[in-house]
Amino acid sequence: MIGASSHRKEGRAKVMGTAIYTDDKFVPDALHGVTVRSQVPRGILKGIHFGGGIPWAEFTIVTAADIPGKNLVASVMHDQPFLVGIGEEITHMEQPVVLLAHSNRHLAERARLAVALEVEELPAILDIQASLDLEQVIYGTHNLLKEIRIQKGDPSKVWDRAAHVIEGEYFTGAQEQMYLETNAMVAVVEEKDAQTWVTVWGSLQCPYYVHGALKQLFGLPEDRVRVVAMEMGGAFGGKEDYPSVNGGHAALLAWKSGKPVKLIYDREEDLACTTKRHPSRSRLKTAFDAEGHLLALETDFVIDGGAYATMSPVVLSRGAIHAAGLYRCPHVKVHARAVATNTPPPGAFRGFGAPQSLFAMERHMDICARKLGLDPVELRRKNFLRLGDTMATGQVIREDLDLGGLMDRALAEIGYHDKRAAFAITNQGEGPIKRGVGFSVFMHGCGFTGSGESYLASVAGVEGLADGTVSILAASTEMGQGKNTVFSQIVAEALKLPYELVDVAEVDTDRVPNSGPTVASRSTMMVGRILEDAAIGFKQSLVQQGFLQEPYTPESFQVAVAKAVATLGSVKCYGQYHRPPNIVWNDSTYQGDAYPTFSWACYAAEVAVDLDTYEVKVEDFVTVQEVGRVVNPRLAAGQVEGGVAQGIGWGLWEEVTTKQGRMINNQMTNYIIPTSADLPRIQVVFLENAHPAGPGGAKGIGELPMDGPAPALLNALEGALGPLRLDEVPMTPERLLQRCEEVSHG
Amino acid sequence: MADRINLVMKLNGEERSVNVHPFARLLDVLREDLRLTGTKEGCGEGECGACTIFLNGQVVNSCLVPAVQAQGAEVITVEGLARGGELSPIQAAFVAHNGAQCGFCTPGMLVAATDLLNRCPNPTEDEIRDGLAGNLCRCTGYSKILDAVQTAAADGASR
C-alpha cells in the first residue's frame, strides 16, 4: 500500500463538481457578511459614521463593543484584536473595524462603502529599515515581534585569520498564496438550554486553531464550539492563521443576528487583507580558507512581520535555523529579528521562513564561488554536512548523508556541465537570447520546530464502522496535498487491508481529536506515524477481545470489525505523539535537535533570457530530493511540481506592490502567477532512504519544493548574463533590466 | 425595469426556467438560483477560468456573462460532463493522473480541456499548454493536468 500511487480519495467528487466547498454549502435564510476596514495605516479610531441611503435598521452591525468574550485573536501571541474599538489604535490599512450582514449581498456591499471611519492619523512605519531605525515605536519598546540568536563557536575570532571574507546582502519580496478558493466561512450560533453553541464551517487548515479562537472570542467552554473543515480550494499556509480572524467575524455576525451568516471574501479583499509570505533582508558574512573550506558564517536575518505577531515568531524560527544551509561550519552566528510595521500581518506560506534565508545562503554560495575562483559545484562539495557533523544549533547529523551524490544526480539529469560549456560559447553570439544553468542545494526540517511537536502532543485515531470498514479520525485537513489518500494508505498498510476499506472521517471537531495543525510538512510524517500506532492498537484490541484472529483476510477483518461495532456500539483506538528519546531541544538557548530529521534536495534550472525584453523563460527544471520513503509517488510528484511552480513564480514574476503598506495589485490581472504556457515540465526524482521516525519511513515533502527554485533560477541567470547584482526576488524583467544597466553604466 | 426576468435555457441537457435579477451574472444564476455549485468563482474578472462553462458550444468565463445572454441558449457545466454517473474520458483521466489536487480549478479546467479535445483531438504538449493557459491552477504546476489531457486524447484516438 505504501509506495503505491493510489487514486485520490475525493478525486471523483472533484471531477464531477460535487465536492462541497464552503461557498457551495446551501444555507437557507443566510445573511451575507461584509467587513469595513481602515483606510489609513495608523491612527486612533475616533468615530464610526453610518452614511445615508442605506436601510440600516435591516442590517446586523457588529463593532468591538459587542464582543462577548476577549477581543483578541488566539495565536502564538494574543495581540491582534478581532475589531478595533473607538479610542483604540488602528495599525494597518486593512484592519477590520465594523462587520455588517444583510440578506441581500449586493446591498451589503453598498452599505460597506457607506460607513465612514473618523480617525486621528499617526505616522506609520512601512518597511524593515524604518522599523529597525525606530522612526516610530509601534510595538513594544524596539518594534521587535521576536528576536532569536543562535551561536556555535565564535565567528569574530575567525575574520582576521581567514584567507577570504565575503559579504553579501539579499532581499526577498512578499508573495501571495493565491489559493484558487478565497477565504470563506459559514457560521451558525444557536441559543439552546440557555447556552450559546457556536458552529463554523470553513475553508481552513487548522480546525483546532479556529476552535481555540472562537472559545476565547465568546468565552465559551470547549464543547460549545464546533468547527468543520469543508472541502478546501488550496491554502499553502494562507489558511493557517487567518481563518481564526474571519471565522470569528462570521460567528460574531451570526451570534448578533441569530441567523446563519456567510462571509465569503472576493479576490480583491482576499489579496489585500489576508496573509502573505514575509518580506526579508539577509546580510551574510562568510570566511573561507585558501582551499575554500567554510570557516565562519554570520547572518543578520530580518523579516517584516507586519502589525501583529501572528505567526512571525515561528516563521522567524524556521528561517533562522535554515539560515546556515546544509554546510559544515565550525563558527556560526545567526541573529534573526521579526520587526513590526504598519502593514497587514504576513503569515504562513509554504516554506515558512526557510525559502527566504535559504535564498540568501544559496545565492551567496554561488557569489563566493565566483570570488574564490572555484566552481560552485566544487565549493559546495567541499563543505557539505556529513554523518556526525553538527549544525548551528548543535544538532548532530545521524543519517549517512550523501549530499554530493544527490547534487551530482541533479546536475547529470539537467546536463549541467555540458550545457555550461555550450552556453559559454553560444552566449558570445550577437543574438538577444542568453542561456544559463544554475542550481541550489538545501534542506527542509520535517514537522514543528524545536519543542513544537511535544507541546502539540497530537492525537489521532481509527474507528471501526458498522459495515466493517475503517475510518480515520484526525483534524488534519485536505487542501489538495493528498492527506485523505496518504492517511488511508498508511492505515491500510498497518492493518494489511486493501485501500478501499479505509477512508477518512469528516474533519469536525465534535468527531475528530486534535491531531494538530495541517502545516509544517508534518501530516504524513507526524500524524501518519500516530495513525500507524493507532491502527496497530486497533487491530490488537480486536484480537484481544476475541473478534479477530491472526492471520486474517480483508474479509475476515471486515466481519470482525462489523461484529465488534454491533457488540460494543463503538470501537475506536487513538494514538499520541511521543517525543523520540534522542531528540532534545532547548527553547531558551536554541540548542539541540531543531527537527527530528530533514528532507534534502538539489534543484537545477536552465533559463533563457531575452535581452530585448528582459523576459526570462525557464527551459528546464530538475528536482532531486531525498524525502524518506515515498508513500504515494504520483501525489508526491504533484506536490513537488506545484511547489516548484510557486517557487518559480516567487523567483521571477510574483511581485506584491504596496501603497501605504497595502497591496495595490490585488487582482489576478496584475499579480502574475504561472500559467500552463509559462512553465517547463518539472522533472522529479526521489531518492528513497527510509527514515525510522515516519510511517513506513516517510519524511515531510510539502514545503521542500518552495525552498530551491528561487536561488537556482538566479544562479542560472548569473550563468547566462555574468556577474550582476542578482540579490533579490522576484527578479522581474524591470528589475533585471535595471541590474544590467548598473553594469553597463559602471 | 422588471425586478426579475424569466430566463429559459437548456442546462446540461434539461430545459430549465428561472426568475433572475436582470443584471445577474450567469455564474450566480448557475450557483445560487439553480444550485449547480460545481462551477467556481476564483476571481470574478475572467482571469482564472474556474467558472468556465460551455455556452452554445463556446467556452466562456461565466463570471463575465450577463445571465440574459443565456436566454434560450444551451449551457453545459462540469455537472453535465459525466453521463449517468459515468465519467467522461477527460474526467476519468484527471482521476487517474491526479490532475485535480485541491479541485477548485478542476471544473473550469475540465470544460476547457473538453473544448480543446473537441477542437483538436490530438494536441501536442504546446497546444495543450496554450489551450489551457486561460485556466489557472496553483497546485499542480500543470504536469499532471497535461498527463491527463494527453491520456484522454490517446484514448479518444483509439476508439
Side-chain angles (χ1 to χ4, degrees):
Chain A
M1 213 21 67
I2 287 184
S5 285
S6 306
H7 290 177
R8 180 176 288 280
K9 280 283 181 191
E10 76 290 359
R12 190 177 163 86
K14 282 177 171 172
V15 302
M16 301 267 291
T18 54
I20 301 297
Y21 299 77
T22 303
D23 193 27
D24 302 340
K25 187 177 170 62
F26 178 60
V27 189
D29 301 321
L31 302 183
H32 297 273
V34 293
T35 312
V36 179
R37 300 172 185 279
S38 161
Q39 288 301 324
V40 297
R42 187 171 172 233
I44 305 295
L45 182 66
K46 293 290 184 184
I48 301 167
H49 303 288
F50 297 88
I54 303 291
W56 289 112
E58 295 173 9
F59 274 81
T60 299
I61 301 173
V62 172
T63 67
D66 294 307
I67 288 176
K70 229 176 176 177
N71 184 14
L72 285 173
V73 182
S75 184
V76 177
M77 286 149 78
H78 298 207
D79 63 348
Q80 178 175 211
F82 282 94
L83 296 169
V84 170
I86 306 266
E88 292 172 356
E89 189 172 332
I90 283 169
T91 62
H92 64 84
M93 283 280 268
E94 292 292 326
Q95 185 129 33
V97 180
V98 184
L99 304 168
L100 305 173
H102 194 277
S103 57
N104 178 336
R105 66 183 166 87
H106 303 287
L107 184 58
E109 178 56 22
R110 268 194 11 233
R112 185 179 72 80
L113 300 171
V115 179
L117 303 179
E118 185 186 335
V119 180
E120 182 187 312
E121 245 188 283
L122 293 169
I125 292 286
L126 298 174
D127 60 45
I128 285 174
Q129 196 56 51
S131 184
L132 287 173
D133 290 345
L134 297 176
E135 282 180 13
Q136 298 286 322
V137 177
I138 60 165
Y139 198 98
T141 52
H142 291 82
N143 290 343
L144 289 182
L145 301 166
K146 177 80 178 174
E147 184 171 27
I148 294 168
R149 291 175 194 276
I150 303 171
Q151 186 148 359
K152 173 190 174 192
D154 186 359
S156 68
K157 293 186 177 145
V158 180
W159 309 127
D160 287 344
R161 64 176 168 85
H164 306 276
V165 175
I166 300 167
E167 297 185 56
E169 188 177 38
Y170 307 90
F171 304 89
T172 65
Q175 186 186 20
E176 164 56 36
Q177 293 90 356
M178 202 64 99
Y179 30 72
L180 262 280
E181 179 208 23
T182 56
N183 271 282
M185 290 286 166
V186 173
V188 170
V189 178
E190 294 163 297
E191 301 293 335
K192 272 189 309 203
D193 314 324
Q195 310 274 23
T196 303
W197 303 79
V198 178
T199 306
V200 164
W201 295 260
S203 185
L204 47 93
Q205 286 175 246
C206 311
Y208 278 93
Y209 280 3
V210 180
H211 189 263
L214 291 169
K215 273 194 311 179
Q216 179 163 303
L217 172 63
F218 287 94
L220 289 175
E222 208 157 300
D223 61 339
R224 254 121 9 83
V225 176
R226 178 181 164 213
V227 176
V228 184
M230 303 295 289
E231 198 71 66
M232 187 162 24
F236 314 109
K239 294 167 185 172
E240 172 170 355
D241 48 314
Y242 202 83
S244 296
V245 178
N246 60 326
H249 288 169
L252 284 169
L253 284 167
W255 166 75
K256 189 149 181 205
S257 65
K259 290 190 173 171
V261 169
K262 271 193 164 183
L263 183 63
I264 315 290
Y265 288 174
D266 67 16
R267 182 60 66 183
E268 288 189 30
E269 180 174 26
D270 192 287
L271 292 189
C273 76
T274 70
T275 60
K276 313 255 175 294
R277 185 181 304 289
H278 291 71
S280 80
R281 184 193 79 189
S282 294
R283 288 179 175 159
L284 280 171
K285 185 174 178 184
T286 46
F288 293 90
D289 69 12
E291 287 78 45
H293 295 105
L294 186 58
L295 301 177
L297 184 157
E298 197 173 310
T299 174
D300 177 20
F301 177 58
V302 190
I303 63 173
D304 179 346
Y308 299 104
T310 63
M311 307 306 290
S312 294
V314 266
V315 170
L316 186 74
S317 175
R318 187 173 283 269
I321 290 165
H322 287 73
L326 34 59
Y327 303 104
R328 58 194 329 205
C329 183
H331 301 277
V332 183
K333 191 171 163 186
V334 178
H335 183 205
R337 288 169 287 178
V339 298
T341 58
N342 293 113
T343 60
F349 188 170
R350 191 180 215 161
F352 210 69
Q356 291 95 318
S357 61
L358 283 168
F359 166 73
M361 186 63 198
E362 279 306 284
R363 201 46 213 116
H364 190 69
M365 284 301 276
D366 260 40
I367 289 166
C368 290
R370 169 160 48 80
K371 293 191 172 170
L372 296 169
L374 288 170
D375 187 314
V377 176
E378 296 318 312
L379 177 64
R380 285 178 174 83
R381 196 187 307 281
K382 280 176 197 285
N383 290 294
F384 279 140
L385 286 168
R386 280 168 273 177
L387 178 69
D389 284 342
T390 42
M391 304 173 88
T393 62
Q395 177 159 3
V396 178
I397 300 293
R398 299 189 188 93
E399 295 167 67
D400 191 8
L401 273 184
D402 177 19
L403 294 172
L406 188 123
M407 174 175 67
D408 289 338
R409 177 70 191 275
L411 299 179
E413 292 285 337
I414 205 163
Y416 176 83
H417 295 287
D418 291 348
K419 280 179 178 165
R420 242 170 80 113
F423 296 158
I425 296 163
T426 56
N427 283 346
Q428 287 177 8
E430 289 291 301
I433 308 294
K434 308 294 176 196
R435 293 175 197 279
V437 280
F439 66 98
S440 60
V441 195
F442 55 97
M443 77 295 199
H444 200 91
C446 303
F448 259 41
T449 303
S451 312
E453 294 293 341
S454 298
Y455 291 136
L456 283 176
S458 296
V459 176
V462 296
E463 178 177 17
L465 302 182
D467 65 359
T469 63
V470 173
S471 186
I472 292 167
L473 306 174
S476 312
T477 50
E478 175 66 53
M479 58 191 111
Q481 84 280 38
K483 175 273 303 185
N484 293 343
T485 309
V486 165
F487 279 7
S488 299
Q489 286 181 261
I490 290 167
V491 169
E493 171 99 3
L495 295 175
K496 301 184 183 64
L497 292 178
Y499 172 66
E500 292 69 30
L501 292 186
V502 182
D503 206 343
V504 293
E506 185 183 30
V507 178
D508 174 340
T509 56
D510 274 4
R511 173 143 190 236
V512 298
N514 188 355
S515 61
T518 316
V519 304
S521 310
R522 66 181 290 279
S523 296
T524 299
M525 181 167 170
M526 299 298 176
V527 185
R529 182 55 193 265
I530 299 167
L531 284 172
E532 198 175 60
D533 289 348
I536 290 165
F538 179 75
K539 181 189 72 183
Q540 285 169 344
S541 303
L542 289 173
V543 171
Q544 278 165 16
Q545 292 174 54
F547 292 106
L548 182 68
Q549 276 158 359
E550 293 189 277
Y552 55 83
T553 63
E555 294 72 28
S556 64
F557 189 92
Q558 218 177 335
V559 169
V561 170
K563 199 170 156 199
V565 175
T567 312
L568 303 171
S570 162
V571 282
K572 294 178 193 172
C573 185
Y574 295 99
Q576 183 164 30
Y577 172 80
H578 293 292
R579 182 173 59 81
N582 57 343
I583 301 283
V584 181
W585 176 255
N586 185 323
D587 275 327
S588 49
T589 61
Y590 259 71
Q591 287 296 303
D593 298 292
Y595 302 97
T597 185
F598 293 84
S599 293
W600 311 91
C602 177
Y603 285 6
E606 178 187 338
V607 298
V609 190
D610 183 335
L611 287 181
D612 287 337
T613 62
Y614 290 88
E615 277 178 296
V616 177
K617 190 156 192 290
V618 184
E619 301 271 20
D620 196 4
F621 203 100
V622 167
T623 73
V624 177
Q625 46 254 307
E626 192 275 283
V627 294
R629 189 143 172 238
V630 177
V631 178
N632 183 316
R634 190 180 293 117
L635 262 59
Q639 281 287 290
V640 173
E641 290 154 357
V644 167
Q646 280 182 331
I648 291 174
W650 186 50
L652 297 178
W653 303 308
E654 296 183 29
E655 174 126 56
V656 174
T657 307
T658 60
K659 188 176 174 186
Q660 292 200 288
R662 177 186 189 270
M663 183 179 189
I664 52 171
N665 56 331
N666 55 328
Q667 290 172 268
M668 280 183 164
T669 309
N670 45 20
Y671 181 87
I672 305 302
I673 68 167
T675 72
S676 52
D678 299 323
L679 296 171
R681 278 271 180 179
I682 292 146
Q683 301 182 48
V684 181
V685 178
F686 292 115
L687 303 178
E688 298 196 53
N689 183 11
H691 191 275
K699 299 202 283 197
I701 191 170
E703 295 170 288
L704 178 80
M706 189 70 223
D707 296 339
L713 288 165
L714 269 67
N715 289 339
L717 279 176
E718 180 164 324
L721 302 174
L724 290 176
R725 194 165 59 84
L726 296 169
D727 57 352
E728 184 171 3
V729 290
M731 189 50 69
T732 57
E734 292 84 351
R735 208 165 263 138
L736 188 57
L737 165 66
Q738 184 216 339
R739 299 301 199 267
C740 288
E741 285 183 340
E742 284 174 4
V743 174
S744 55
H745 297 158
Chain B
M1 192 178 77
D3 239 20
R4 311 287 278 182
I5 56 162
N6 184 250
L7 187 67
V8 180
M9 62 179 130
K10 193 173 174 193
L11 176 58
N12 296 330
E14 266 179 64
E15 291 292 337
R16 298 292 296 263
S17 166
V18 62
N19 289 320
V20 304
H21 187 276
F23 282 86
R25 305 181 300 173
L26 182 53
L27 172 64
D28 295 332
V29 170
L30 292 170
R31 288 182 52 83
E32 295 172 7
D33 300 293
L34 297 162
R35 284 195 220 150
L36 283 181
T37 55
T39 304
K40 305 299 184 205
E41 175 165 358
C43 68
E45 56 175 354
E47 281 291 331
C48 75
C51 66
T52 306
I53 59 161
F54 283 108
L55 178 65
N56 288 330
Q58 301 283 313
V59 289
V60 295
N61 288 315
S62 61
C63 74
L64 297 183
V65 177
V68 290
Q69 290 184 356
Q71 188 69 270
E74 179 167 11
V75 172
I76 299 172
T77 67
V78 66
E79 289 94 342
L81 298 181
R83 288 291 145 88
E86 196 192 331
L87 299 182
S88 75
I90 184 73
Q91 286 175 309
F94 265 61
V95 172
H97 289 278
N98 190 33
Q101 287 194 15
C102 86
F104 207 78
C105 74
T106 307
M109 197 68 85
L110 288 167
V111 171
T114 302
D115 174 60
L116 172 70
L117 294 183
N118 286 346
R119 287 186 286 115
C120 179
N122 292 297
T124 63
E125 183 160 321
D126 281 348
E127 285 170 334
I128 301 173
R129 287 185 181 280
D130 285 346
L132 300 180
N135 292 74
L136 295 174
C137 169
R138 190 60 153 167
C139 293
T140 62
Y142 303 100
S143 290
K144 298 290 179 274
I145 293 174
L146 298 174
D147 291 347
V149 176
Q150 285 169 338
T151 298
D155 290 354
S158 68
R159 271 204 308 271

